[in-house]
């Protein structure tokens, strides 16, 4: 009987669904294992073969752990709020909920086809009010907590209010915005509104003026990665930097904890390093410089206080609040013009562009507190407003950017490190010895830094300090399709909705774009008022809100009274294995850790870190195909002709659809039908009559027309891998492509081999006529050895997530068993259990053939018996006076004396002894025999 994968896969999909095979319930008797995938944003394009790579890996791991007896939580859901559905809504008027529902259906269909063992009873959708009720709840908790640096934890705002009433804010060490000092009497004398304004500076969710990327045309704030070269990525509209009232979350309060938490988790070093750099901890000092003829003082942050004698000018960020105050009348026009120019650049552009130097003199001078020298104060966009103090002492001999600036504007450069040539470049290394630096002369840099800080503190002109690059996270978008922020305003002061009124449901509106007057779309909602009276907040939460805690909801998805019931959280605890893309290294993974740390402070979760082990799957790349053509003569040329210059005129390229390519050859008719604007083109083929395309490995993407769908493409109707070979083949093949974590091009050439492997395995159970070949005979030593070798390797490989090597071991094993003509139950029964996590459909079918009534999903994973692995014989190299002359195979359990006897009795030995007596015979059991003549 043939391997009818389509019938088999359909049958088992139905069985799993009807029997709810993957339903998971808490069971304190059993050890738990929580295996999580990054849930997808259901886009209109559906899944391509690159998407499920991580899902296949996590599915194999989950199935393996289940068979090892663990109680496995393996859920899936949808990150369903966000930009694409909303953009589509603006263009077409279709409600984003409708778009999303349709996309989810397609995703679900595709995931089901691939045989994933998700417990769908636990599905979550971030756009479901029953879910976002708890996203809003977390926001409310953030609003009502502050971060106490003394305890290193979040505490209720009520404790702060009590303290303020007793002793003001003098002794409070909080992560907070700028607040003046006050005592208890002053606090009590304030109105409620005034008090609330002060408290806003302490809340972990707070409203403040923040610089944002504002796109007037789109009427919204954009994230840094939505801006390219000062324009919006969508539409290409100008983007300006604007100070706006914005909700932010005080993630900076957790900077140190987020840094230290990295030591506890099993993540790749590369990923940890990305997070460390993003948090960006720097030790240094804040130092005050007086401005000449003014009461203004400029505070700088420097990591190199030791270089202060080389500070020959100062630079303020153009947005710095002192700029207006210190700029002289002469320089005013120029300074204002420069500020205007800077406002068009994003922070990222300013950091990335190190080549062009620009700046403007303010006309003011500051006094270097160490040598009383007068130094000019400039503004320049390489100094960022949001980092440190937004001002620097510039040391052109020690800092590359300062050096370039000094060269450009002809400013003084004073060397402070021995042996440096300041005409050439700055000396940034921290290895040298100081010169020209008074009391620091002769010291090594590290010692000089410490000494300088001590002196600065003694003189009362500054302090040693630590800075983090991490910024607070802007938490609002002028958009419709997101969670409403559960806030309303009274006298312009924000209040949160009562918890028992959650969720604050997203109101229906008829148009999804911002209003004509530039308000957020929610301003269109009619009668949308808190208690019918107070205006609600009109921005919605950013795309990352719902994904910052979703793994907790899977533990208890239906709970209406708690985010997660305590006993369930205590059972499932952390995610044991989290698999997802590396593009989330700083966004999602940092925000999630932040929220989890916060929820830990509230006592909602038992660990600070949410994800114990994390693995980034490598991207599957697509092959893009390009057609070269001359638009003037309307002629397209086969790529080999282009390469050898047999074409006319200047050529440009366009992508061809991958479906129209067979082995680099383009089906020109299909291509023309698909691209009607090239219908009247002449296609010049090569001598073989073929039209070749250029091919290049690129990211798999709709825009490159190189997307391979796992199943039938609903648009083109083209059959997918699943229809052609089955889901089991696709699963095995994706794993076989290479190590999980590396990027690899999609290449269907090898898929036949994987398919043949499954057919061969099938052939151990059935003959061509469909007769079952299974027999009950006792397994031979050879058969047992093949089996146990495979058990050992499979188990080790799955534990290490090395799935490609496990698949190749299966192939070796099936080949060896075929050679041995093995159809024995005692071998095939455990073998099929090994394969089950990888190819679950065929495994279920053959498991049934073996006579089992229950699903293979909960059958035990086979255990390796090392005794079968031992080799029966050893091949000894035999050498004479150190030279290997021949080899001999001897039983592994022979004693050294017997080995010597056997070897010396051999004809070959006689030949090499050539009649002489051996002086010594050295036997190393299991290794070699050496004869000294
Ligand atoms: C004087 C100096 C001398 C500096 C020297 C460096 C080398 P990290 O390690 O990134 O924290 N800086 C401070 N605030 C800045 C801002 N808002 N925008 C741009 N640059 C800023 O770097 C800290 C160093 O970057 C600081 O130390 C300061 O330059 C600069 F030989 O001060 B340094």
């Amino acid at each position: 009987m043939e391997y009818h994968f389509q019938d088999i896969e359909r049958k088992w999909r139905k069985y799993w669904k009807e029997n709810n095979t993957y339903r998971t319930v808490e069971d304190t008797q059993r050890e738990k294992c929580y295996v999580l995938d990054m849930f997808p944003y259901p886009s209109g394009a559906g899944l391509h073969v690159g998407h499920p790579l991580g899902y296949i890996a996590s599915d194999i791991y989950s199935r393996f752990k289940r068979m090892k007896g663990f109680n496995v939580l393996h859920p899936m859901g949808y990150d369903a709020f966000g930009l694409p559905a909303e953009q589509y809504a603006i263009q077409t008027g279709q409600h984003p909920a409708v778009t999303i529902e349709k996309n989810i259906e397609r995703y679900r269909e595709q995931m089901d086809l691939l045989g994933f063992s998700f417990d769908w009873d636990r599905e979550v959708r971030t756009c479901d009010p029953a879910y976002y009720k708890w996203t809003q709840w977390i926001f409310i908790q953030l609003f009502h907590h502050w971060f106490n640096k003394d305890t290193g934890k979040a505490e209720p705002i009520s404790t702060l209010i009590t303290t303020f009433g007793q002793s003001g804010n003098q002794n409070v060490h909080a992560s907070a915005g700028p607040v003046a000092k006050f005592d208890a009497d002053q606090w009590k004398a304030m109105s409620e509104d005034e008090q609330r304004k002060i408290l806003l500076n302490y809340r972990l969710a707070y409203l403040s003026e923040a610089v944002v990327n504002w796109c007037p045309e789109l009427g919204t704030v954009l994230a840094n990665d939505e801006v390219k070269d000062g324009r919006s990525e969508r539409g290409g509209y100008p983007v300006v930097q604007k100070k706006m009232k914005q909700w932010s979350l005080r993630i900076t309060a957790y900077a140190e904890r987020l840094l230290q938490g990295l030591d506890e988790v099993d993540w790749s070093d590369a990923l940890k390093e990305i997070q460390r750099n993003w948090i960006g901890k720097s030790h240094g000092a804040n130092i005050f410089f007086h401005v000449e003829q003014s009461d203004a003082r400029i505070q700088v942050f420097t990591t190199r206080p030791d270089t202060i004698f080389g500070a020959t000018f100062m630079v303020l960020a153009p947005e710095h609040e002192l700029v207006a105050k210190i700029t002289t009348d002469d320089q005013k026009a120029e300074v204002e013009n420069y500020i205007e120019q800077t406002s068009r650049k994003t922070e990222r552009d300013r950091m990335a562009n190190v080549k062009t130097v620009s700046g403007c003199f303010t006309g003011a001078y500051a006094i270097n507190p160490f040598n009383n020298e007068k130094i000019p104060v400039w503004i320049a966009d390489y100094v960022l407003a949001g980092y440190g103090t937004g001002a620097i002492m510039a040391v052109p001999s020690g800092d590359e950017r300062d050096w370039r600036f000094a060269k450009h504007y002809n400013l003084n450069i004073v060397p402070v490190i021995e042996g440096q040539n300041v005409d050439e470049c700055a000396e940034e290394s921290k290895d040298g010895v100081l010169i020209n630096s008074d009391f620091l002369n002769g010291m090594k840099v590290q010692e000089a830094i410490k000494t300088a800080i001590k002196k600065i503190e003694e003189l009362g002109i500054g302090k040693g300090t630590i800075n983090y690059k991490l910024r607070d996270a802007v938490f609002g978008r002028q958009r419709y399709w997101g969670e409403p922020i559960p806030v309303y305003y009274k006298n312009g002061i924000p209040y949160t909705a009562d918890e028992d009124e959650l969720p604050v449901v997203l109101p229906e509106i008829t148009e999804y774009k911002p209003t004509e007057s530039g308000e957020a779309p929610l301003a269109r909602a009619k009668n949308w008022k808190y208690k019918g009276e107070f205006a609600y907040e009109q921005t919605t939460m950013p795309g990352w809100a719902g994904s910052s805690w979703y793994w907790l909801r899977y533990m208890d998805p239906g709970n209406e009274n708690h985010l997660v019931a305590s006993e369930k959280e205590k059972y499932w605890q952390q995610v044991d294995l989290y698999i997802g893309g590396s593009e989330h290294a700083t966004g999602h993974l940092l925000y999630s850790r932040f929220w989890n740390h916060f929820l830990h402070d509230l006592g909602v979760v038992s660990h600070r870190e949410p994800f114990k082990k994390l693995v980034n799957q490598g991207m599957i790349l697509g092959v893009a195909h390009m057609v070269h053509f001359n638009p003037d003569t309307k002629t397209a040329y086969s790529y080999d002709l282009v390469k050898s210059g047999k074409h006319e005129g200047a050529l440009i390229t366009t992508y061809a659809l991958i479906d129209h390519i067979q082995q680099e050859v383009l089906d020109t008719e299909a291509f023309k039908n698909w691209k009607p604007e090239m219908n009247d083109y002449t296609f010049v083929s090569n001598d073989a009559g073929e039209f070749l395309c250029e091919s290049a490995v690129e990211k798999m993407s709709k825009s490159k027309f190189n997307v391979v769908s796992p199943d039938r493409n609903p648009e083109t109707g083209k059959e997918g891998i699943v229809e052609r070979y089955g889901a089991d083949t696709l699963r095995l093949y994706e794993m076989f492509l290479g190590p999980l974590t590396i990027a690899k091009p999609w290449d269907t050439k090898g898929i036949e081999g994987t398919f043949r492997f499954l057919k061969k395995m099938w052939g151990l159970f059935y003959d061509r006529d469909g007769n079952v070949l299974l027999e009950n005979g006792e397994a031979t030593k050879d058969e047992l050895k093949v089996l146990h070798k495979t058990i050992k390797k499979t188990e080790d490989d799955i534990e290490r997530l090395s799935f490609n090597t496990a698949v190749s071991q299966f192939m070796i094993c099936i080949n060896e068993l075929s050679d041995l003509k093995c159809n024995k139950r005692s071998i095939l029964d455990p073998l099929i259990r090994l394969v089950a996590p990888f190819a679950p459909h065929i495994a279920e079918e053959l498991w049934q053939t073996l006579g089992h009534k229950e699903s293979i999903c909960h059958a035990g994973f086979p255990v390796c018996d090392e005794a079968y692995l031992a080799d029966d014989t050893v091949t000894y190299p035999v050498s004479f006076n150190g030279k290997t002359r021949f080899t001999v195979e001897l039983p592994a359990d022979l004693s050294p004396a017997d080995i010597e006897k056997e070897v010396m009795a051999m004809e070959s030995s006689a030949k090499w002894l050539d009649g002489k007596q051996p002086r010594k015979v050295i036997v190393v059991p299991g290794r070699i025999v050496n004869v000294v003549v």
Side-chain angles (χ1 to χ4, degrees):
M1 183 171 70
E2 277 205 39
Y3 163 41
H4 288 297
F5 58 87
Q6 291 207 341
D7 298 341
I8 293 170
E9 293 186 354
R10 198 174 311 116
K11 167 177 162 189
W12 290 102
R13 276 202 303 273
K14 185 156 168 270
Y15 174 94
W16 293 326
K17 194 167 199 168
E18 284 173 1
N19 290 278
N20 220 336
T21 307
Y22 308 119
R23 203 168 92 90
T24 311
V25 287
E26 289 68 27
D27 175 359
T28 47
Q29 298 305 304
R30 281 197 298 153
E31 203 178 328
K32 67 93 192 187
C33 181
Y34 187 174
V35 184
L36 182 68
D37 292 297
M38 288 185 186
F39 64 167
Y41 175 84
S43 81
L47 296 171
H48 62 58
V49 290
H51 293 123
L53 184 81
Y55 300 164
I56 297 171
S58 65
D59 194 61
I60 293 171
Y61 193 77
S62 301
R63 288 174 178 276
F64 166 72
K65 285 286 178 182
R66 256 181 231 121
M67 293 175 77
K68 296 286 285 182
F70 286 82
N71 191 20
V72 175
L73 178 56
H74 187 44
M76 184 44 93
Y78 304 97
D79 187 13
F81 271 136
L83 206 60
E86 166 179 272
Q87 205 68 15
Y88 191 69
I90 292 174
Q91 284 157 15
T92 64
Q94 183 172 90
H95 196 293
V98 176
T99 317
I100 283 291
E101 182 68 40
K102 206 174 108 226
N103 295 349
I104 285 180
E105 227 172 86
R106 169 92 183 113
Y107 268 63
R108 176 64 195 271
E109 183 189 29
Q110 289 188 298
M111 287 196 268
D112 281 348
L113 266 184
L114 295 176
F116 294 137
S117 61
F118 296 123
D119 176 2
W120 285 105
D121 288 355
R122 293 180 184 252
E123 180 197 292
V124 301
R125 298 179 183 191
T126 55
C127 65
D128 177 357
Y131 179 88
Y132 69 66
K133 167 180 176 177
W134 296 103
T135 314
Q136 293 175 334
W137 182 86
I138 295 171
F139 177 87
I140 290 177
Q141 308 312 311
L142 286 161
F143 183 87
H144 292 287
H145 282 79
W146 65 291
F147 193 88
N148 187 346
K149 285 186 180 171
D150 291 339
T151 56
K153 278 171 52 170
E155 293 178 14
I157 281 283
S158 56
T159 63
L160 199 58
I161 296 173
T162 310
T163 309
F164 287 172
Q166 287 163 352
S167 52
N169 67 352
Q170 326 268 352
N171 300 318
V172 171
H173 298 119
S175 277
V179 207
K181 294 275 176 214
F182 54 80
D183 60 24
D185 291 337
Q186 287 167 314
W187 172 255
K188 284 183 218 150
M190 289 178 207
S191 69
E192 195 199 328
D193 282 1
E194 280 168 341
Q195 289 184 340
R196 283 196 161 252
K197 276 186 194 152
I198 291 203
L199 290 175
L200 208 45
N201 286 302
Y202 289 89
R203 299 183 189 277
L204 289 176
Y206 64 97
L207 194 59
S208 74
E209 293 254 297
V211 179
V212 293
N213 303 313
W214 175 251
C215 179
E217 216 80 18
L218 291 175
T220 189
V221 164
L222 297 174
N224 276 336
D225 51 358
E226 292 169 329
V227 183
K228 291 268 139 66
D229 304 322
R231 288 181 171 265
S232 64
E233 202 177 22
R234 274 166 199 270
Y237 304 114
V239 174
V240 292
Q241 301 296 293
K242 185 171 156 186
K243 268 202 170 175
M244 272 180 68
K245 271 228 155 157
Q246 281 285 330
W247 282 100
S248 294
L249 299 189
R250 209 178 296 284
I251 186 173
T252 51
Y254 286 86
E256 190 57 38
R257 274 173 57 176
L258 291 173
L259 209 50
Q260 290 186 356
L262 290 173
D263 297 337
E264 282 172 33
V265 291
D266 179 7
W267 296 12
S268 74
D269 289 338
L271 181 55
K272 287 186 185 184
E273 211 40 40
I274 291 174
Q275 290 221 338
R276 285 196 189 104
N277 288 335
W278 191 262
I279 298 167
K281 182 178 184 174
S282 301
H283 295 266
N286 285 344
I287 313 173
F288 283 103
F289 285 60
H290 278 286
V291 178
E292 203 188 39
Q293 292 166 359
S294 158
D295 59 354
R297 289 195 308 167
I298 299 172
Q299 190 184 20
V300 304
F301 169 66
T302 175
T303 46
R304 295 292 305 276
D306 58 310
T307 63
I308 192 161
F309 291 94
T312 52
F313 61 102
M314 302 193 77
V315 185
L316 306 187
E319 304 88 340
H320 197 285
E321 56 184 12
L322 283 179
V323 175
K325 181 167 179 174
I326 64 171
T327 300
T328 59
D329 291 343
D330 288 353
Q331 290 301 105
K332 200 162 172 198
E334 209 184 311
V335 164
E336 278 172 4
N337 179 28
Y338 186 74
I339 293 173
E340 216 291 297
Q341 279 175 32
T342 313
S343 78
R344 277 185 241 129
K345 297 186 195 165
T346 66
E347 192 167 283
R348 185 179 286 204
D349 290 342
R350 283 165 61 170
M351 286 194 285
N353 186 354
V354 290
K355 287 202 195 85
T356 43
V357 174
S358 75
C360 180
F361 179 43
T362 62
Y365 289 87
I367 307 296
N368 185 330
F370 273 66
N371 57 13
N372 289 322
E373 276 187 29
K374 211 172 115 171
I375 57 177
V377 182
W378 287 65
I379 60 172
D381 66 9
Y382 77 93
V383 175
L384 305 172
Y387 185 59
T389 59
I392 65 164
M393 61 175 208
V395 181
S397 60
D399 183 282
E400 204 45 51
R401 292 164 308 176
D402 298 348
W403 185 86
R404 252 180 274 123
F405 198 84
K407 278 279 173 201
H408 189 85
Y409 291 108
N410 217 358
L411 298 162
N412 208 6
I413 306 179
V414 175
V416 286
I417 300 292
E418 198 171 65
Q420 74 179 125
N421 178 357
V422 292
D423 292 333
E424 291 280 306
C425 62
E427 176 54 64
E428 292 201 335
S429 97
K430 294 188 182 176
D431 292 334
V433 171
L434 278 101
I435 56 166
N436 294 335
S437 299
D438 194 353
F439 65 98
L440 299 174
N441 282 339
M443 287 184 198
K444 287 197 171 150
V445 170
Q446 293 303 349
E447 186 194 352
I449 291 177
K450 283 196 202 110
T451 313
I453 292 178
K454 223 172 117 206
K455 189 82 173 190
I456 288 162
E457 291 181 350
E458 272 167 28
L459 294 173
I461 55 167
K463 249 194 164 138
T465 183
I466 290 172
N467 250 308
Y468 299 90
K469 292 237 159 61
L470 188 66
R471 301 279 69 118
D472 278 343
V474 171
F475 197 72
R477 303 185 314 141
Q478 289 64 26
R479 291 291 188 154
Y480 175 67
W481 192 233
E483 302 85 349
I485 294 178
V487 160
Y488 64 93
Y489 292 88
K490 238 195 277 185
N491 293 335
I493 307 280
Y495 292 77
T496 54
D498 281 345
E499 281 178 26
D500 57 13
E501 289 165 326
L502 297 182
V504 174
V505 178
L506 190 61
E508 290 301 323
I509 54 174
T510 47
E511 255 200 288
Y512 304 100
K513 50 178 192 256
T515 67
E516 282 63 36
S517 56
E519 292 166 297
L522 282 182
R524 295 176 187 276
K526 300 242 156 42
N527 305 322
W528 192 50
K529 293 236 158 73
Y530 182 70
K531 299 212 195 285
E533 191 177 350
F534 304 106
Y536 271 120
E537 168 65 47
Q538 288 175 352
T539 58
T540 50
M541 296 189 193
W544 50 268
S547 58
S548 295
W549 70 280
Y550 73 110
W551 67 95
L552 296 171
R553 194 61 181 169
Y554 285 138
M555 298 175 184
D556 195 6
N559 196 328
E560 289 177 12
N561 303 315
H562 297 277
L563 184 153
V564 52
S566 165
E567 73 274 10
K568 297 205 171 168
E569 192 282 330
K570 290 216 161 57
Y571 179 66
W572 294 113
Q573 306 215 2
Q574 288 162 294
V575 171
D576 293 284
L577 174 64
Y578 193 18
I579 298 189
S582 55
E583 66 276 19
H584 300 294
T586 52
H588 163 61
L589 288 176
L590 211 53
Y591 297 133
S592 298
R593 295 183 56 220
F594 162 40
W595 282 30
N596 202 78
H597 273 253
F598 172 66
L599 292 171
H600 182 259
D601 291 350
L602 299 192
V604 175
V605 301
S606 28
H607 292 268
R608 285 186 167 187
E609 288 298 327
F611 315 123
K612 213 158 145 185
K613 182 181 171 82
L614 183 137
V615 173
N616 292 133
Q617 83 271 16
M619 208 184 320
I620 289 198
L621 305 166
V623 182
H625 299 273
M626 273 113 15
V627 174
H628 293 256
F629 65 98
N630 181 334
D632 302 326
T633 61
K634 297 200 167 193
T635 315
Y637 297 92
S638 178
Y639 184 52
D640 45 347
L641 302 179
V642 176
K643 272 195 296 190
S644 50
K646 293 184 191 145
H647 64 87
E648 278 166 21
L651 304 184
I652 54 176
T653 63
T654 183
Y655 286 111
L657 184 63
I658 190 165
D659 295 7
H660 300 150
I661 311 274
Q662 281 280 350
Q663 249 102 38
E664 310 305 320
V665 179
L666 179 71
D667 177 343
T668 52
E669 283 314 305
F671 176 78
K672 282 193 207 171
N673 282 338
W674 174 71
K675 223 180 178 47
E677 66 271 26
M678 288 180 76
N679 221 336
D680 54 346
Y681 271 60
T682 310
F683 281 72
V684 184
S685 298
N686 60 19
D687 293 344
E690 292 173 331
F691 189 96
L692 304 184
C693 286
E694 182 183 4
S695 62
V697 173
E698 296 184 39
K699 189 180 163 173
M700 204 174 264
S701 144
K702 229 184 159 180
S703 64
K704 299 189 194 305
F705 302 100
N706 62 350
V707 169
V708 182
S709 169
D711 58 339
R712 192 175 296 282
N713 183 327
E715 278 168 36
T716 65
K718 193 185 169 193
E719 171 186 72
I721 313 280
V722 172
E723 287 87 22
R724 187 102 185 260
Y725 301 102
D728 284 337
T729 296
L730 179 66
R731 290 169 61 108
L732 276 169
Y733 185 60
E734 291 220 6
M735 292 299 105
F736 191 52
L737 275 178
L740 179 62
T741 55
I742 67 161
K744 43 212 168 255
W746 178 257
D747 166 11
T748 35
K749 278 187 214 116
I751 203 159
E752 284 284 346
T754 318
F755 183 56
R756 269 199 308 275
F757 153 71
L758 286 180
K759 280 202 290 196
K760 205 162 183 181
M761 185 170 82
W762 183 263
L764 296 177
F765 289 73
Y766 286 102
D767 72 10
R768 277 201 198 144
D769 306 320
N771 300 312
V772 175
L773 300 170
L774 294 173
E775 54 183 38
N776 293 326
E778 204 177 312
T780 65
K781 264 192 163 176
D782 283 346
E783 289 164 346
L784 285 164
K785 190 166 162 193
V786 172
L787 173 70
H788 285 269
K789 216 166 62 185
T790 307
I791 297 175
K792 186 176 162 75
K793 179 122 179 69
T794 309
E795 174 151 6
D796 286 355
D797 286 352
I798 298 179
E799 290 284 10
R800 291 185 300 123
L801 308 180
S802 175
F803 302 114
N804 58 323
T805 52
V807 176
S808 62
Q809 178 61 34
F810 290 151
M811 295 182 173
I812 293 169
C813 171
I814 295 294
N815 282 342
E816 290 180 349
L817 291 180
S818 300
D819 291 347
L820 293 169
K821 300 204 167 30
C822 170
N823 308 102
K824 293 183 184 130
R825 282 174 187 281
S826 56
I827 297 294
L828 297 182
D829 186 295
L831 175 73
I832 204 65
R833 283 181 275 148
L834 294 180
V835 177
F838 292 77
H841 309 83
I842 191 174
E844 288 278 23
E845 184 68 23
L846 295 176
W847 188 240
Q848 200 173 52
T849 305
L850 282 159
H852 298 282
K853 296 279 179 290
E854 301 288 320
S855 161
I856 196 167
C857 291
H858 299 284
F861 201 78
V863 179
C864 167
D865 185 342
E866 298 270 347
Y868 294 117
L869 300 183
D871 281 322
D872 298 341
T873 60
V874 179
T875 306
Y876 284 95
V878 180
S879 50
F880 288 81
N881 291 339
K883 274 218 169 92
T884 306
R885 297 301 184 185
F886 59 89
T887 60
V888 53
E889 196 165 319
L890 296 170
D893 53 1
L894 225 52
S895 72
D898 287 340
I899 294 171
E900 180 176 340
K901 217 189 274 166
E902 290 280 345
V903 170
M904 296 323 293
M906 289 176 70
E907 230 175 80
S908 313
S909 292
K911 177 178 154 207
W912 289 104
L913 282 172
D914 198 16
K916 297 191 198 103
Q917 274 298 314
R919 279 197 283 147
K920 205 158 135 203
V921 179
I922 304 159
V923 175
V924 185
R927 303 285 299 282
I928 58 161
V929 179
N930 190 11
V931 185
V932 184
V933 191

